[in-house]
Amino acid sequence: MVTSRPPKRVGEILLKAGLIDKWQLEDALEAQRREGGLLGRQLILAGSVTRREMFGALSKQWKAPLVDLIKEPPEAGLLSMIEPASLIEAGWVPWKRDGRGVVIATTVPPTETLIKTARTMLGAKHISVRTTTDWDLNQAVATACRTALLFGAADALATKSSDESAKEGLRPWQLALPLT
């Protein structure tokens, strides 16, 4: 019977790569115990690693190569299939089409549930995975979905605070006045 070794922990990967020392790892683990949150976030906040170094280690742990969404943005039209807020909340975006299906870029572990969700949302039978940073993901969504985000913000402001909105339409006080 063959037993598969569980994936290396991100702290081990960073130690082996020489990006952190055991003291930085211990400090981050202590901060994690005290404050909660992810170990990677603690290491980034402490300045022990950069965001790109952290996601590089995660890409090794997840066996999903790192992609820079700023240098290689998602294919046109792929992001328009899903609401911008949903993309950011989900932590992944459709990135490219390949001969077999769709490649997604993720900031969260590529679990079976995530893959199944991506298949359903994108209507693809095959999903390949790449790793990206949370900053890259946010910038890619903001750039690709700029118009939708702006219209959404304008509509929200017009609905919640119409007197402060430049969007055309009747204001509440105009609706209340009788026509003469």
Side-chain angles (χ1 to χ4, degrees):
M1 178 177 178
V2 177
T3 58
S4 63
R5 186 174 185 267
K8 281 189 176 181
R9 300 176 120 184
V10 73
E12 293 173 13
I13 295 168
L14 292 166
L15 276 171
K16 186 175 181 180
L19 294 171
I20 60 170
D21 60 36
K22 68 178 185 175
W23 308 115
Q24 290 170 311
L25 178 57
E26 287 177 16
D27 287 347
L29 287 168
E30 178 56 35
Q32 183 184 33
R33 279 189 287 277
R34 195 175 54 250
E35 301 166 16
L38 299 171
L39 176 64
R41 181 76 55 205
Q42 296 295 343
L43 287 164
I44 292 168
L45 289 173
S48 301
V49 294
T50 66
R51 180 171 306 174
R52 184 138 326 263
E53 289 168 337
M54 175 53 60
F55 280 92
L58 290 172
S59 76
K60 289 179 180 154
Q61 183 183 48
W62 298 342
K63 295 177 178 52
L66 187 64
V67 63
D68 183 333
L69 294 182
I70 306 308
K71 291 181 182 172
E72 298 181 70
E75 277 182 18
L78 276 177
L79 295 186
S80 64
M81 300 170 75
I82 306 169
E83 286 293 318
S86 298
L87 290 166
I88 292 171
E89 186 178 317
W92 63 269
V93 294
W95 179 52
K96 303 258 184 220
R97 289 182 180 92
D98 64 11
R100 300 177 347 179
V102 177
V103 182
I104 64 170
T106 184
T107 65
V108 296
T111 63
E112 284 300 319
T113 302
L114 184 142
I115 302 297
K116 185 184 278 189
T117 300
R119 279 189 194 119
T120 302
M121 290 176 83
L122 301 171
K125 290 183 180 177
H126 185 267
I127 299 292
S128 299
V129 180
R130 300 293 182 271
T131 304
T132 193
T133 71
D134 50 356
W135 190 86
D136 284 8
L137 182 131
N138 289 335
Q139 292 301 308
V141 170
T143 300
C145 303
R146 185 176 190 277
T147 302
L149 291 167
L150 289 173
F151 278 116
D155 285 344
L157 181 61
T159 302
K160 292 180 183 168
S161 186
S162 61
D163 288 337
E164 296 175 18
S165 173
K167 190 169 181 171
E168 292 185 22
L170 296 176
R171 305 290 186 242
W173 64 267
Q174 293 169 318
L175 293 171
L177 284 177
L179 292 175
T180 56

